[in-house]
Amino acid sequence: MMKKLIIGLFALSINVLPAMAAGPSVPLMEAGNDLTDQPSLQRGAKLFMNYCLGCHQMQYQRYERTFRDIGIPTEVGLEQLIFDGSKVGSHITNAITKDDAAKWFGAAPPDLTNVARVRGSDWIYTYLKSFYKDESRPFGVNNTIFPSVGMPHVLQELQGLPTPITEEVEEHGQTVTKVVGTKTDGTGELSVDEYDQAVRDLTNFLEYVGEPTRLESEALGLKVIGFLIILFILSFMLKKEYWRDVH
Protein backbone atom coordinates (compact mmCIF):
# COMPACT_ATOMS: atom_id res chain seq x y z
CA MET A 1 0.00 0.00 0.00
CA MET A 2 2.77 2.41 0.97
CA LYS A 3 4.65 1.54 -2.22
CA LYS A 4 1.59 2.40 -4.34
CA LEU A 5 1.15 5.68 -2.47
CA ILE A 6 4.76 6.69 -3.08
CA ILE A 7 4.49 5.80 -6.78
CA GLY A 8 1.26 7.79 -7.04
CA LEU A 9 2.76 10.87 -5.43
CA PHE A 10 5.80 10.61 -7.67
CA ALA A 11 3.61 10.45 -10.77
CA LEU A 12 1.61 13.43 -9.51
CA SER A 13 4.78 15.48 -9.05
CA ILE A 14 5.90 14.65 -12.60
CA ASN A 15 2.62 15.45 -14.32
CA VAL A 16 1.02 18.18 -12.23
CA LEU A 17 3.74 20.27 -10.62
CA PRO A 18 5.51 21.25 -13.85
CA ALA A 19 2.17 22.30 -15.31
CA MET A 20 1.48 24.45 -12.24
CA ALA A 21 4.90 26.06 -12.45
CA ALA A 22 4.62 26.72 -16.16
CA GLY A 23 1.54 28.92 -15.83
CA PRO A 24 -0.51 29.92 -18.88
CA SER A 25 0.58 28.73 -22.32
CA VAL A 26 2.06 32.04 -23.52
CA PRO A 27 5.00 31.85 -25.95
CA LEU A 28 8.18 33.10 -24.28
CA MET A 29 10.40 35.69 -25.93
CA GLU A 30 14.12 35.02 -25.99
CA ALA A 31 16.07 37.23 -23.61
CA GLY A 32 19.43 36.69 -25.30
CA ASN A 33 21.44 37.39 -22.16
CA ASP A 34 25.22 37.75 -22.08
CA LEU A 35 26.79 37.46 -18.64
CA THR A 36 30.11 38.69 -20.02
CA ASP A 37 28.55 42.06 -20.94
CA GLN A 38 29.45 44.10 -17.86
CA PRO A 39 27.90 47.40 -19.08
CA SER A 40 24.58 45.53 -19.46
CA LEU A 41 24.91 44.06 -15.97
CA GLN A 42 25.70 47.49 -14.54
CA ARG A 43 22.65 49.05 -16.20
CA GLY A 44 20.55 46.13 -14.96
CA ALA A 45 21.81 46.67 -11.40
CA LYS A 46 20.88 50.34 -11.61
CA LEU A 47 17.38 49.47 -12.83
CA PHE A 48 16.91 46.93 -10.05
CA MET A 49 18.05 49.28 -7.29
CA ASN A 50 15.84 52.11 -8.57
CA TYR A 51 12.67 50.25 -9.56
CA CYS A 52 12.59 46.83 -7.88
CA LEU A 53 14.36 46.97 -4.51
CA GLY A 54 11.59 48.95 -2.85
CA CYS A 55 9.50 45.75 -2.79
CA HIS A 56 11.78 42.86 -3.81
CA GLN A 57 14.82 41.85 -1.82
CA MET A 58 17.94 39.89 -2.75
CA GLN A 59 18.65 38.68 0.75
CA TYR A 60 21.23 36.10 -0.35
CA GLN A 61 23.34 38.56 -2.37
CA ARG A 62 25.70 41.22 -0.99
CA TYR A 63 26.37 44.67 -2.44
CA GLU A 64 30.13 44.18 -2.24
CA ARG A 65 30.09 40.91 -4.19
CA THR A 66 27.80 42.44 -6.79
CA PHE A 67 29.95 45.52 -7.31
CA ARG A 68 33.12 43.45 -7.60
CA ASP A 69 31.67 40.92 -10.04
CA ILE A 70 30.12 43.38 -12.48
CA GLY A 71 32.90 45.98 -12.38
CA ILE A 72 31.38 48.80 -10.32
CA PRO A 73 33.90 50.68 -8.14
CA THR A 74 32.92 50.50 -4.48
CA GLU A 75 32.74 54.28 -4.07
CA VAL A 76 30.46 54.57 -7.11
CA GLY A 77 28.22 51.80 -5.82
CA LEU A 78 27.97 53.39 -2.40
CA GLU A 79 27.05 56.75 -3.90
CA GLN A 80 24.69 55.71 -6.69
CA LEU A 81 23.23 52.29 -5.83
CA ILE A 82 22.84 52.16 -2.04
CA PHE A 83 20.06 54.48 -0.92
CA ASP A 84 19.32 53.40 2.65
CA GLY A 85 22.70 53.81 4.30
CA SER A 86 23.52 50.09 4.21
CA LYS A 87 27.15 49.04 4.46
CA VAL A 88 28.81 47.79 1.30
CA GLY A 89 29.10 44.33 2.88
CA SER A 90 25.37 44.15 3.65
CA HIS A 91 22.86 41.92 1.91
CA ILE A 92 20.58 43.61 -0.63
CA THR A 93 17.42 44.03 1.44
CA ASN A 94 14.69 46.62 1.97
CA ALA A 95 12.67 47.91 4.91
CA ILE A 96 9.21 46.67 3.88
CA THR A 97 7.69 44.07 6.21
CA LYS A 98 5.93 40.95 4.95
CA ASP A 99 2.70 41.94 6.71
CA ASP A 100 2.64 45.38 5.09
CA ALA A 101 3.55 43.95 1.70
CA ALA A 102 0.79 41.36 1.93
CA LYS A 103 -1.71 44.06 2.89
CA TRP A 104 -0.73 46.34 -0.01
CA PHE A 105 -0.21 43.78 -2.78
CA GLY A 106 -2.26 40.78 -1.64
CA ALA A 107 0.91 38.74 -1.07
CA ALA A 108 4.43 39.52 0.01
CA PRO A 109 6.68 40.19 -3.04
CA PRO A 110 9.09 37.27 -3.47
CA ASP A 111 12.82 37.47 -2.95
CA LEU A 112 14.47 37.71 -6.38
CA THR A 113 17.89 36.24 -5.64
CA ASN A 114 17.07 32.97 -7.39
CA VAL A 115 14.15 33.99 -9.59
CA ALA A 116 16.14 33.45 -12.81
CA ARG A 117 17.04 29.90 -11.74
CA VAL A 118 13.43 29.12 -10.84
CA ARG A 119 11.57 30.84 -13.67
CA GLY A 120 14.22 31.15 -16.36
CA SER A 121 15.54 34.30 -18.04
CA ASP A 122 13.14 34.09 -20.99
CA TRP A 123 10.17 34.03 -18.59
CA ILE A 124 11.41 37.14 -16.74
CA TYR A 125 12.07 38.98 -20.01
CA THR A 126 8.61 38.10 -21.37
CA TYR A 127 6.93 38.98 -18.06
CA LEU A 128 8.45 42.46 -17.92
CA LYS A 129 7.27 43.13 -21.47
CA SER A 130 3.76 41.75 -20.98
CA PHE A 131 2.00 44.29 -18.75
CA TYR A 132 -1.07 45.96 -20.24
CA LYS A 133 -3.83 48.34 -19.19
CA ASP A 134 -6.65 46.67 -17.27
CA GLU A 135 -8.82 49.01 -15.21
CA SER A 136 -10.47 46.08 -13.44
CA ARG A 137 -7.23 45.33 -11.57
CA PRO A 138 -6.23 47.17 -8.33
CA PHE A 139 -3.18 48.80 -9.95
CA GLY A 140 -4.82 49.28 -13.34
CA VAL A 141 -2.64 46.72 -15.13
CA ASN A 142 -2.58 43.01 -15.87
CA ASN A 143 -0.05 40.67 -17.42
CA THR A 144 -0.42 38.19 -20.27
CA ILE A 145 2.00 35.65 -18.82
CA PHE A 146 0.90 36.12 -15.19
CA PRO A 147 -2.85 36.90 -15.22
CA SER A 148 -4.24 38.80 -12.21
CA VAL A 149 -0.75 39.59 -10.94
CA GLY A 150 -0.73 41.77 -7.82
CA MET A 151 2.31 43.77 -8.92
CA PRO A 152 2.03 47.24 -10.49
CA HIS A 153 3.86 47.98 -13.72
CA VAL A 154 6.89 49.52 -12.03
CA LEU A 155 8.62 50.28 -15.35
CA GLN A 156 5.61 52.15 -16.71
CA GLU A 157 7.37 55.52 -16.74
CA LEU A 158 10.00 53.97 -19.01
CA GLN A 159 7.69 52.01 -21.32
CA GLY A 160 4.47 53.94 -21.11
CA LEU A 161 1.09 52.27 -20.54
CA PRO A 162 0.64 49.35 -22.96
CA THR A 163 -2.79 48.47 -24.29
CA PRO A 164 -3.81 44.85 -24.96
CA ILE A 165 -3.91 43.24 -28.39
CA THR A 166 -6.76 40.72 -28.42
CA GLU A 167 -8.11 38.07 -30.74
CA GLU A 168 -11.07 35.70 -30.77
CA VAL A 169 -10.12 32.05 -30.20
CA GLU A 170 -12.04 28.80 -29.80
CA GLU A 171 -11.73 27.10 -26.42
CA HIS A 172 -13.83 24.09 -25.41
CA GLY A 173 -16.36 24.82 -28.13
CA GLN A 174 -16.78 28.48 -27.15
CA THR A 175 -15.40 31.70 -28.63
CA VAL A 176 -13.41 33.70 -26.09
CA THR A 177 -11.38 36.87 -26.29
CA LYS A 178 -7.72 36.42 -25.31
CA VAL A 179 -4.93 38.93 -24.89
CA VAL A 180 -2.17 37.84 -27.27
CA GLY A 181 0.15 40.85 -27.02
CA THR A 182 0.54 44.47 -26.01
CA LYS A 183 1.22 47.81 -27.69
CA THR A 184 2.64 50.80 -25.85
CA ASP A 185 0.89 54.18 -25.97
CA GLY A 186 4.16 56.06 -26.55
CA THR A 187 4.10 58.01 -23.27
CA GLY A 188 7.22 56.33 -21.84
CA GLU A 189 10.64 57.89 -21.48
CA LEU A 190 12.18 55.20 -23.70
CA SER A 191 11.52 54.12 -27.25
CA VAL A 192 10.40 50.55 -27.94
CA ASP A 193 13.96 49.44 -28.73
CA GLU A 194 15.39 51.26 -25.71
CA TYR A 195 12.83 49.67 -23.41
CA ASP A 196 13.58 46.22 -24.84
CA GLN A 197 17.26 46.80 -24.06
CA ALA A 198 16.46 48.01 -20.53
CA VAL A 199 14.40 44.87 -19.85
CA ARG A 200 17.18 42.72 -21.30
CA ASP A 201 19.71 44.46 -19.00
CA LEU A 202 17.52 43.88 -15.94
CA THR A 203 16.99 40.23 -16.91
CA ASN A 204 20.72 39.83 -17.46
CA PHE A 205 21.40 41.16 -13.97
CA LEU A 206 18.84 38.84 -12.38
CA GLU A 207 20.40 35.88 -14.18
CA TYR A 208 23.84 36.86 -12.84
CA VAL A 209 22.53 37.13 -9.27
CA GLY A 210 20.97 33.67 -9.49
CA GLU A 211 24.40 32.14 -10.07
CA PRO A 212 27.24 34.65 -9.47
CA THR A 213 29.97 32.03 -9.99
CA ARG A 214 28.65 30.75 -13.32
CA LEU A 215 31.37 32.25 -15.51
CA GLU A 216 34.08 31.10 -13.11
CA SER A 217 32.56 27.61 -13.00
CA GLU A 218 32.40 27.39 -16.79
CA ALA A 219 36.02 28.54 -17.13
CA LEU A 220 37.13 26.03 -14.49
CA GLY A 221 35.13 23.30 -16.20
CA LEU A 222 36.98 23.86 -19.48
CA LYS A 223 40.30 23.62 -17.67
CA VAL A 224 39.26 20.39 -15.98
CA ILE A 225 38.14 18.90 -19.30
CA GLY A 226 41.46 19.91 -20.86
CA PHE A 227 43.36 18.32 -17.99
CA LEU A 228 41.38 15.08 -18.31
CA ILE A 229 42.04 14.92 -22.06
CA ILE A 230 45.79 15.33 -21.49
CA LEU A 231 45.69 12.77 -18.66
CA PHE A 232 43.85 10.31 -20.91
CA ILE A 233 46.44 10.68 -23.68
CA LEU A 234 49.34 10.19 -21.26
CA SER A 235 47.61 7.22 -19.61
CA PHE A 236 46.91 5.63 -22.99
CA MET A 237 50.51 6.06 -24.10
CA LEU A 238 51.75 4.66 -20.80
CA LYS A 239 49.42 1.67 -21.13
CA LYS A 240 50.76 0.93 -24.62
CA GLU A 241 54.33 1.15 -23.32
CA TYR A 242 53.66 -1.24 -20.43
CA TRP A 243 51.86 -3.79 -22.63
CA ARG A 244 54.26 -3.63 -25.57
CA ASP A 245 56.23 -6.70 -24.50
CA VAL A 246 53.08 -8.66 -23.64
CA HIS A 247 51.63 -8.27 -27.15
Side-chain angles (χ1 to χ4, degrees), residues 18 38 65 80 126 143 151 154 164 167 196 199 235-236 240:
Q38 286 203 337
R65 172 65 188 267
Q80 299 185 15
T126 306
N143 193 284
M151 172 179 162
V154 295
E167 67 177 22
D196 287 350
V199 172
S235 299
F236 181 75
K240 289 186 66 177

Side-chain angles (χ1 to χ4, degrees), residues 90-240:
S90 302
H91 290 95
I92 304 176
T93 58
N94 56 36
I96 188 173
T97 66
K98 289 185 177 182
D99 290 340
D100 286 340
K103 179 172 64 177
W104 298 334
F105 303 109
D111 183 279
L112 295 185
T113 312
N114 293 311
V115 64
R117 299 184 69 178
V118 175
R119 293 284 194 177
S121 296
D122 291 349
W123 188 94
I124 297 172
Y125 178 70
T126 306
Y127 170 73
L128 292 173
K129 293 185 61 177
S130 298
F131 281 93
Y132 64 90
K133 181 180 179 181
D134 183 352
E135 296 180 352
S136 68
R137 299 297 302 154
F139 292 103
V141 292
N142 210 327
N143 193 284
T144 59
I145 196 173
F146 197 150
S148 302
V149 64
M151 172 179 162
H153 184 20
V154 295
L155 301 180
Q156 182 175 323
E157 70 174 10
L158 301 181
Q159 184 188 23
L161 183 59
T163 53
I165 301 174
T166 61
E167 67 177 22
E168 303 292 329
V169 297
E170 292 287 335
E171 284 190 355
H172 307 295
Q174 295 182 341
T175 301
V176 297
T177 302
K178 293 190 67 174
V179 177
V180 296
T182 63
K183 182 179 181 180
T184 183
D185 62 358
T187 60
E189 297 177 4
L190 304 179
S191 67
V192 173
D193 291 340
E194 289 172 337
Y195 181 73
D196 287 350
Q197 184 59 54
V199 172
R200 185 169 285 109
D201 293 338
L202 181 53
T203 304
N204 202 20
F205 175 70
L206 291 172
E207 182 173 344
Y208 148 73
V209 172
E211 196 172 0
T213 61
R214 179 174 172 181
L215 293 180
E216 298 173 14
S217 300
E218 290 177 352
L220 180 60
L222 292 176
K223 294 178 181 177
V224 170
I225 292 173
F227 170 78
L228 292 175
I229 292 173
I230 295 172
L231 180 62
F232 171 78
I233 294 173
L234 293 175
S235 299
F236 181 75
M237 294 174 63
L238 185 62
K239 177 260 183 188
K240 289 186 66 177

